Amino acid sequence: MRLRGWHRSWQERGKMERIDQYSRFTICAMPWLFTLAWQGAPFDHDIRHEPLPLALGVALLLVSVAQCVLSNRNLSVAYEHYLGTSVFPGRRLLAPVVLMLVAVGLLATLTGVDGVHGSGLLLMALNAPMALVITRVLLVPVRRFVIESLCLTLLTTGALAASGLRGGTLAGVVPCTLFGCVLVLISVRPSAWSMSVMWQAEQARDIQARLAVAEERLRFGRDMHDVMGRNLAVIALKSELAVELAQRGRPEAVDQMVEVQRIARASQQEVRDVVRGYREASLITELAGAQGVLSAAGIECVVSDGTGERLPAPVQAALGWVVREAATNVLRHGDPRRCVIRLETTADSAVLHVENDGVTAQSPSTATSPSTAAAPDAQGSGLAGLRERLGALDGSLEAGPAQGGLFRLTATVPLGDREEADGTDDLAGRSRGGGGGGGGETVPGAAVRGARAPGARAPEATAPGAGVSGAGVSGAGRPGSVVSPGVMVGPGPGLVEGRR
């Protein structure tokens, strides 16, 4: 069970987290490998098989094991110190330094009793400082590490010389000790440096994404300011003028309020246009964007069977949202290497398939996304929003795991006479809503007039079904005359606004 839990934890990690964990594990394993290879090998034939040399050799092996344990404990903190996320406390090096001195002393004692000879001595001298220098190389600059390595070499050589070691074996201790330090320098430090660069690049991508969101918010804010700023200023001025005229009993106050009404409704429509342009998704644009973003993330993205450029605009917009949501979840969840987007169009329907591999185990934090919704009842905000958009077109959405470790998202939208049906539904919606974009709301003292009053102008004079009748405002102009662009005085009891 513990092994399975570790496997799930590994699968749920992102690529950067996996690389980081692998690098740390590799560095942690290095002192253990050195101890087994360089400290254990001399027991075969280089250490004299007598009680005292064997006891000293075992003691030296136990000290090396303790060094490895301390090195693993300190390595994580040293790694964070190198990455700049924390500060390594100097007191944690006290025990490793003491153990290293004890190891050198035991090696010198073993040499003094003539308990080891030949290549075994060189290997044990090579291993004595390794656990310490693996941690130390991440804490100090390269120049200082080189100086400390030279001092460590002199210390080891001097201790062995004091124990009576002479000749070529003593001379071989110097390059062996330096070789161990250089090996650590060219293996551990570049690995940590590569990880720091990769994490900085990851942070830069996150910052770039946040800046893109902030820039889009600023753009939308500028658009809203451009649309509403001038109109609100005109509404304020004309309202003040209408108040003054009404206080004086002047009939021109009605004309000013009619103009205020026209500007307000025009502003309302302009805001809707801005929001619609901000929220609508184009299928062609989204397919190209998804392919570009996924390819930039190292995921092979294949778009097949066309881009649906001949589909009706509402269908393209709905499927564009499906592509956008699917691409977002492919990036956010799992570890995919390939994503296939396939659009199948027939005379009756348009079916969009999005398949990706690298599906991770479902977790509470990702169960609501299409790429991890393994359970049929996983209804996240992304899926719910897509189903609402497709439901408006009588479409459907299916998402779940497929064979071969894939995840498949399928969106189906019926076509038929979509364009004509859309036009009819829009016309009926406007008739029921009093003008659609601008006629759904009423002003104080006004009533929505769903049928043409007796004697009113023919429907072609105004937009279908669009009319707001303002009671008590008759006399502002002759029946059926336009008093302001988009506003017409009807023959009945009030004003009729025509959508243009």
Side-chain angles (χ1 to χ4, degrees):
M1 293 299 295
R2 182 175 299 179
L3 182 60
R4 291 182 180 179
W6 178 87
H7 178 71
R8 284 198 301 268
S9 177
W10 175 261
Q11 291 296 326
E12 291 170 1
R13 294 176 183 268
K15 291 182 179 179
M16 280 297 304
E17 293 176 333
R18 292 185 187 182
I19 296 174
D20 182 86
Q21 191 69 20
Y22 174 78
S23 300
R24 292 175 187 243
F25 175 79
T26 303
I27 297 175
C28 287
M30 287 179 63
W32 294 98
L33 295 176
F34 293 154
T35 297
L36 292 176
W38 298 342
Q39 196 69 45
F43 280 92
D44 186 19
H45 57 275
D46 292 322
I47 295 180
R48 236 173 356 106
H49 290 183
E50 294 183 2
L52 182 58
L54 287 176
L56 291 174
V58 171
L60 185 56
L61 180 61
L62 293 177
V63 170
S64 298
V65 171
Q67 285 182 292
C68 293
V69 173
L70 289 178
S71 176
N72 288 167
R73 290 187 59 188
N74 293 333
L75 186 61
S76 178
V77 185
Y79 206 84
E80 300 296 334
H81 176 90
Y82 183 83
L83 296 178
T85 57
S86 65
V87 178
F88 187 88
R91 65 180 182 275
R92 300 191 66 162
L93 281 178
L94 180 61
V97 170
V98 172
L99 287 177
M100 190 270 295
L101 294 176
V102 171
V104 174
L106 288 173
L107 182 60
T109 304
L110 185 62
T111 304
V113 298
D114 196 23
V116 63
H117 56 81
S119 59
L121 175 61
L122 298 180
L123 290 177
M124 298 174 78
L126 175 62
N127 179 70
M130 291 299 291
L132 175 63
V133 297
I134 286 176
T135 302
R136 190 64 178 168
V137 74
L138 298 175
L139 303 177
V140 296
V142 175
R143 184 175 181 180
R144 182 175 176 180
F145 178 79
V146 172
I147 295 175
E148 292 180 357
S149 300
L150 292 174
C151 296
L152 192 58
T153 302
L154 292 177
L155 173 66
T156 305
T157 305
L160 293 177
S163 65
L165 185 64
R166 296 291 184 274
T169 305
L170 180 63
V173 172
V174 176
C176 285
T177 307
L178 287 177
F179 170 77
C181 296
V182 173
L183 178 64
V184 170
L185 179 63
I186 63 176
S187 59
V188 175
R189 195 174 181 94
S191 176
W193 175 78
S194 300
M195 285 307 308
S196 67
V197 172
M198 293 174 67
W199 277 119
Q200 290 174 3
E202 186 74 11
Q203 293 173 358
R205 282 193 292 268
D206 292 340
I207 293 174
Q208 185 178 11
R210 288 196 294 267
L211 289 177
V213 172
E215 183 178 357
E216 184 64 16
R217 288 175 178 171
L218 290 175
R219 184 198 69 80
F220 185 70
R222 287 194 300 266
D223 291 347
M224 291 298 296
H225 177 271
D226 294 341
V227 168
M228 296 298 297
R230 180 184 63 85
N231 291 350
L232 290 176
V234 174
I235 288 174
L237 291 175
K238 287 188 173 292
S239 298
E240 293 175 1
L241 179 58
V243 169
E244 294 180 1
L245 292 174
Q247 289 174 348
R248 298 177 185 178
R250 300 285 297 276
E252 290 86 350
V254 176
D255 296 334
Q256 296 299 325
M257 291 309 299
V258 169
E259 185 67 13
V260 168
Q261 184 189 42
R262 183 194 67 80
I263 296 174
R265 293 193 179 279
S267 301
Q268 189 179 43
Q269 184 59 42
E270 289 177 359
V271 170
R272 285 194 176 96
D273 291 340
V274 171
V275 175
R276 187 179 299 113
Y278 179 76
R279 296 178 61 186
E280 282 185 352
S282 169
L283 178 58
I284 299 176
T285 303
E286 293 302 330
L287 286 173
Q291 191 171 23
V293 170
L294 294 178
S295 299
I299 303 172
E300 181 185 0
C301 182
V302 179
V303 178
S304 60
D305 297 341
T307 57
E309 62 271 7
R310 295 186 178 181
L311 292 175
V315 177
Q316 287 198 42
L319 294 181
W321 276 104
V322 175
V323 173
R324 179 183 297 185
E325 183 71 18
T328 301
N329 285 282
V330 168
L331 289 173
R332 290 177 57 188
H333 307 294
D335 186 19
R337 293 179 176 84
R338 178 180 173 84
C339 178
V340 178
I341 303 175
R342 185 172 68 257
L343 179 63
E344 300 175 355
T345 304
T346 64
D348 299 326
S349 64
V351 182
L352 178 69
H353 302 279
V354 181
E355 294 181 354
N356 65 275
D357 57 3
V359 181
T360 62
Q362 186 176 3
S363 64
S365 61
T366 61
T368 59
S369 66
S371 64
T372 55
D377 58 346
Q379 301 292 333
S381 59
L383 279 175
L386 293 178
R387 286 195 172 99
E388 289 178 2
R389 295 179 184 276
L390 295 173
L393 303 175
D394 299 328
S396 62
L397 180 70
E398 297 178 359
Q403 295 181 352
L406 300 177
F407 185 89
R408 178 178 299 140
L409 186 146
T410 304
T412 305
V413 180
L415 294 178
D417 297 332
R418 173 62 58 186
E419 294 182 352
E420 291 77 5
D422 289 341
T424 305
D425 293 343
D426 182 64
L427 180 61
R430 292 184 178 182
S431 298
R432 291 189 300 267
E441 295 79 14
T442 60
V443 296
V448 177
R449 189 168 55 187
R452 187 159 50 95
R457 292 174 61 96
E460 59 270 14
T462 60
V468 178
S469 174
V473 202
S474 59
R478 71 178 188 273
S481 62
V482 178
V483 297
S484 180
V487 180
M488 178 172 52
V489 177
L495 297 177
V496 178
E497 181 186 3
R499 289 177 54 85
R500 299 189 183 274

PDB file of all heavy atoms in Angstrom, residues 457 476-484 487-491 495-496:
ATOM      1  N   ARG A 457     -48.218  52.728 -36.503  1.00  0.00           N
ATOM      2  CA  ARG A 457     -47.539  52.521 -37.782  1.00  0.00           C
ATOM      3  C   ARG A 457     -47.291  51.043 -37.994  1.00  0.00           C
ATOM      4  O   ARG A 457     -47.290  50.245 -37.079  1.00  0.00           O
ATOM      5  CB  ARG A 457     -46.202  53.267 -37.790  1.00  0.00           C
ATOM      6  CG  ARG A 457     -46.373  54.785 -37.788  1.00  0.00           C
ATOM      7  CD  ARG A 457     -44.998  55.440 -37.645  1.00  0.00           C
ATOM      8  NE  ARG A 457     -44.138  55.073 -38.751  1.00  0.00           N
ATOM      9  CZ  ARG A 457     -43.981  55.832 -39.838  1.00  0.00           C
ATOM     10  NH1 ARG A 457     -44.669  56.950 -39.990  1.00  0.00           N
ATOM     11  NH2 ARG A 457     -43.175  55.461 -40.783  1.00  0.00           N
ATOM     12  N   ALA A 476     -44.891  64.990 -27.429  1.00  0.00           N
ATOM     13  CA  ALA A 476     -43.542  65.428 -27.699  1.00  0.00           C
ATOM     14  C   ALA A 476     -43.313  65.608 -29.176  1.00  0.00           C
ATOM     15  O   ALA A 476     -42.380  66.269 -29.590  1.00  0.00           O
ATOM     16  CB  ALA A 476     -42.549  64.414 -27.137  1.00  0.00           C
ATOM     17  N   GLY A 477     -44.141  65.036 -30.011  1.00  0.00           N
ATOM     18  CA  GLY A 477     -44.025  65.179 -31.454  1.00  0.00           C
ATOM     19  C   GLY A 477     -45.270  64.624 -32.074  1.00  0.00           C
ATOM     20  O   GLY A 477     -46.109  64.030 -31.427  1.00  0.00           O
ATOM     21  N   ARG A 478     -45.445  64.783 -33.345  1.00  0.00           N
ATOM     22  CA  ARG A 478     -46.653  64.276 -33.967  1.00  0.00           C
ATOM     23  C   ARG A 478     -46.585  62.765 -34.058  1.00  0.00           C
ATOM     24  O   ARG A 478     -45.500  62.177 -34.108  1.00  0.00           O
ATOM     25  CB  ARG A 478     -46.829  64.893 -35.349  1.00  0.00           C
ATOM     26  CG  ARG A 478     -45.843  64.398 -36.405  1.00  0.00           C
ATOM     27  CD  ARG A 478     -46.149  65.052 -37.737  1.00  0.00           C
ATOM     28  NE  ARG A 478     -45.339  64.459 -38.786  1.00  0.00           N
ATOM     29  CZ  ARG A 478     -44.128  64.868 -39.095  1.00  0.00           C
ATOM     30  NH1 ARG A 478     -43.583  65.830 -38.389  1.00  0.00           N
ATOM     31  NH2 ARG A 478     -43.455  64.298 -40.075  1.00  0.00           N
ATOM     32  N   PRO A 479     -47.744  62.086 -34.090  1.00  0.00           N
ATOM     33  CA  PRO A 479     -47.750  60.623 -34.098  1.00  0.00           C
ATOM     34  C   PRO A 479     -46.942  60.056 -35.252  1.00  0.00           C
ATOM     35  O   PRO A 479     -47.084  60.476 -36.401  1.00  0.00           O
ATOM     36  CB  PRO A 479     -49.238  60.285 -34.229  1.00  0.00           C
ATOM     37  CG  PRO A 479     -49.947  61.478 -33.678  1.00  0.00           C
ATOM     38  CD  PRO A 479     -49.099  62.655 -34.061  1.00  0.00           C
ATOM     39  N   GLY A 480     -46.088  59.075 -34.895  1.00  0.00           N
ATOM     40  CA  GLY A 480     -45.300  58.388 -35.910  1.00  0.00           C
ATOM     41  C   GLY A 480     -44.081  59.154 -36.360  1.00  0.00           C
ATOM     42  O   GLY A 480     -43.449  58.741 -37.307  1.00  0.00           O
ATOM     43  N   SER A 481     -43.696  60.209 -35.728  1.00  0.00           N
ATOM     44  CA  SER A 481     -42.541  60.990 -36.165  1.00  0.00           C
ATOM     45  C   SER A 481     -41.329  60.653 -35.307  1.00  0.00           C
ATOM     46  O   SER A 481     -41.456  60.308 -34.137  1.00  0.00           O
ATOM     47  CB  SER A 481     -42.837  62.489 -36.056  1.00  0.00           C
ATOM     48  OG  SER A 481     -43.087  62.844 -34.714  1.00  0.00           O
ATOM     49  N   VAL A 482     -40.146  60.760 -35.918  1.00  0.00           N
ATOM     50  CA  VAL A 482     -38.898  60.501 -35.213  1.00  0.00           C
ATOM     51  C   VAL A 482     -38.417  61.792 -34.599  1.00  0.00           C
ATOM     52  O   VAL A 482     -38.166  62.773 -35.296  1.00  0.00           O
ATOM     53  CB  VAL A 482     -37.836  59.937 -36.181  1.00  0.00           C
ATOM     54  CG1 VAL A 482     -36.525  59.726 -35.456  1.00  0.00           C
ATOM     55  CG2 VAL A 482     -38.312  58.621 -36.790  1.00  0.00           C
ATOM     56  N   VAL A 483     -38.264  61.777 -33.261  1.00  0.00           N
ATOM     57  CA  VAL A 483     -37.805  62.979 -32.575  1.00  0.00           C
ATOM     58  C   VAL A 483     -36.319  62.920 -32.270  1.00  0.00           C
ATOM     59  O   VAL A 483     -35.716  63.932 -31.919  1.00  0.00           O
ATOM     60  CB  VAL A 483     -38.589  63.172 -31.265  1.00  0.00           C
ATOM     61  CG1 VAL A 483     -40.060  63.385 -31.553  1.00  0.00           C
ATOM     62  CG2 VAL A 483     -38.391  61.978 -30.344  1.00  0.00           C
ATOM     63  N   SER A 484     -35.695  61.745 -32.336  1.00  0.00           N
ATOM     64  CA  SER A 484     -34.273  61.571 -32.076  1.00  0.00           C
ATOM     65  C   SER A 484     -33.843  60.289 -32.748  1.00  0.00           C
ATOM     66  O   SER A 484     -34.677  59.389 -32.924  1.00  0.00           O
ATOM     67  CB  SER A 484     -34.017  61.520 -30.564  1.00  0.00           C
ATOM     68  OG  SER A 484     -32.639  61.353 -30.310  1.00  0.00           O
ATOM     69  N   VAL A 487     -35.378  56.905 -31.813  1.00  0.00           N
ATOM     70  CA  VAL A 487     -36.529  57.090 -30.947  1.00  0.00           C
ATOM     71  C   VAL A 487     -37.643  57.699 -31.769  1.00  0.00           C
ATOM     72  O   VAL A 487     -37.448  58.685 -32.473  1.00  0.00           O
ATOM     73  CB  VAL A 487     -36.180  57.995 -29.744  1.00  0.00           C
ATOM     74  CG1 VAL A 487     -37.396  58.171 -28.861  1.00  0.00           C
ATOM     75  CG2 VAL A 487     -35.034  57.401 -28.954  1.00  0.00           C
ATOM     76  N   MET A 488     -38.850  57.130 -31.662  1.00  0.00           N
ATOM     77  CA  MET A 488     -39.968  57.582 -32.471  1.00  0.00           C
ATOM     78  C   MET A 488     -41.200  57.746 -31.593  1.00  0.00           C
ATOM     79  O   MET A 488     -41.449  56.921 -30.696  1.00  0.00           O
ATOM     80  CB  MET A 488     -40.242  56.556 -33.572  1.00  0.00           C
ATOM     81  CG  MET A 488     -41.429  56.887 -34.465  1.00  0.00           C
ATOM     82  SD  MET A 488     -41.486  55.742 -35.847  1.00  0.00           S
ATOM     83  CE  MET A 488     -41.404  54.196 -35.010  1.00  0.00           C
ATOM     84  N   VAL A 489     -41.943  58.807 -31.811  1.00  0.00           N
ATOM     85  CA  VAL A 489     -43.188  59.033 -31.102  1.00  0.00           C
ATOM     86  C   VAL A 489     -44.282  58.280 -31.827  1.00  0.00           C
ATOM     87  O   VAL A 489     -44.553  58.519 -33.002  1.00  0.00           O
ATOM     88  CB  VAL A 489     -43.516  60.539 -31.025  1.00  0.00           C
ATOM     89  CG1 VAL A 489     -44.858  60.726 -30.337  1.00  0.00           C
ATOM     90  CG2 VAL A 489     -42.434  61.273 -30.271  1.00  0.00           C
ATOM     91  N   GLY A 490     -44.918  57.305 -31.150  1.00  0.00           N
ATOM     92  CA  GLY A 490     -45.944  56.494 -31.765  1.00  0.00           C
ATOM     93  C   GLY A 490     -47.285  57.198 -31.747  1.00  0.00           C
ATOM     94  O   GLY A 490     -47.480  58.200 -31.068  1.00  0.00           O
ATOM     95  N   PRO A 491     -48.223  56.670 -32.479  1.00  0.00           N
ATOM     96  CA  PRO A 491     -49.540  57.282 -32.564  1.00  0.00           C
ATOM     97  C   PRO A 491     -50.384  57.018 -31.327  1.00  0.00           C
ATOM     98  O   PRO A 491     -51.413  57.631 -31.143  1.00  0.00           O
ATOM     99  CB  PRO A 491     -50.151  56.619 -33.789  1.00  0.00           C
ATOM    100  CG  PRO A 491     -49.469  55.285 -33.848  1.00  0.00           C
ATOM    101  CD  PRO A 491     -48.086  55.505 -33.362  1.00  0.00           C
ATOM    102  N   LEU A 495     -44.127  56.873 -26.227  1.00  0.00           N
ATOM    103  CA  LEU A 495     -42.964  56.800 -27.083  1.00  0.00           C
ATOM    104  C   LEU A 495     -42.712  55.352 -27.496  1.00  0.00           C
ATOM    105  O   LEU A 495     -42.969  54.415 -26.738  1.00  0.00           O
ATOM    106  CB  LEU A 495     -41.723  57.321 -26.346  1.00  0.00           C
ATOM    107  CG  LEU A 495     -41.773  58.796 -25.944  1.00  0.00           C
ATOM    108  CD1 LEU A 495     -40.518  59.128 -25.159  1.00  0.00           C
ATOM    109  CD2 LEU A 495     -41.880  59.664 -27.170  1.00  0.00           C
ATOM    110  N   VAL A 496     -42.206  55.196 -28.693  1.00  0.00           N
ATOM    111  CA  VAL A 496     -41.798  53.886 -29.178  1.00  0.00           C
ATOM    112  C   VAL A 496     -40.369  53.978 -29.646  1.00  0.00           C
ATOM    113  O   VAL A 496     -40.037  54.849 -30.444  1.00  0.00           O
ATOM    114  CB  VAL A 496     -42.703  53.414 -30.346  1.00  0.00           C
ATOM    115  CG1 VAL A 496     -42.195  52.055 -30.853  1.00  0.00           C
ATOM    116  CG2 VAL A 496     -44.144  53.297 -29.900  1.00  0.00           C
TER     117      VAL A 496
END
